[in-house]
Each structure stands twice: as structure tokens, then as C-alpha cells.
Amino acid sequence: QVQLVESGGGLVQPGGSLRLSCAASGRIFSINNMGWYRQAPGKERDLVAGITSGGSTNYADSVKGRFTISRDNAKNTVYLQMSSLKPEDTAVYYCNADVTIRFGVTIGAWGQGTQVTVSS
């Protein structure tokens, strides 16, 4: 019913930057909270950054001042601008969205994940 497609991952050197995008499509009445999570090998999936429909944001302490989340409501798209990347940022990054598909029905949707590798 709802698809989230991520793009923008890849290999970058320490100190570099990447911009991730996640576009939602399908049966969408409205999109509420959106966010980015990441999962490193052998670790749990953790929240990196979140943004409400009104634009309020929150970040994990480990990325504050380096990552910026934003969204374009007209395009149903959320972005994650990552700067000053560190090797410990290496992970699969997943997009998440709370999508209202019809009045009174909201589902949580996930993207397929995009690999970010920070290495020299």
C-alpha cells in the first residue's frame, strides 16, 4: 500500500558528506512523523533523526551538529544531510514514516535500507 524508496548511500571518506533521500508513494492520505534509523552489524536499529509534519526535529546525541533532517511535504520526501562523517557512522540507514492511508488508519512504513560506509 505504501512504499518508501531510499537513495544516496555509498562509500565516503572520514570527514566527508552524503545526502540520503527517501520518497514515499502509494496509498497516502497524509504523512505524520518521518525519520531515519540505522543499524550496524551486530547492533540494534537505532533512531538517528526524526521530523514531525510541522517540521520539529530531534536527533541522536551522536549525530547532533553533524546531521540535518528535513522534508518536502509536497513531494512526500524526507532527507538526511550527513556531514563530518565518521567510521562509526557506517551502517545500513532505513527510512521510516507514519502514514495515514485513510481516515483513522495509520501504518508504519519502512524503506529497504541504504548502505553508508565511512572508510579511508
Side-chain angles (χ1 to χ4, degrees), residues 24-105:
S25 62
R27 188 175 181 178
I28 298 172
F29 180 73
S30 65
I31 301 178
N32 309 310
N33 297 334
M34 303 185 81
W36 289 95
Y37 290 71
R38 67 186 181 187
Q39 187 169 20
K43 296 188 176 181
E44 294 184 351
R45 187 176 300 186
D46 294 322
L47 176 68
V48 175
I51 185 167
T52 68
S53 57
S56 296
T57 59
N58 64 288
Y59 297 91
D61 287 343
S62 59
V63 306
K64 283 180 180 177
R66 301 188 298 121
F67 290 11
T68 302
I69 189 171
S70 61
R71 64 191 285 173
D72 184 333
N73 291 331
K75 296 181 179 179
N76 291 333
T77 299
V78 64
Y79 306 95
L80 186 68
Q81 178 66 48
M82 304 185 292
S83 302
S84 301
L85 283 161
K86 304 175 181 179
E88 50 263 43
D89 295 318
T90 295
V92 178
Y93 284 69
Y94 296 91
C95 172
N96 172 265
D98 294 330
V99 181
T100 298
I101 59 173
R102 63 178 181 270
F103 181 77
V105 180

Side-chain angles (χ1 to χ4, degrees), residues 4-28:
L4 299 182
V5 179
E6 298 132 339
S7 60
L11 173 64
V12 63
Q13 292 186 343
S17 299
L18 280 176
R19 188 192 195 208
L20 306 183
S21 300
C22 172
S25 62
R27 188 175 181 178
I28 298 172

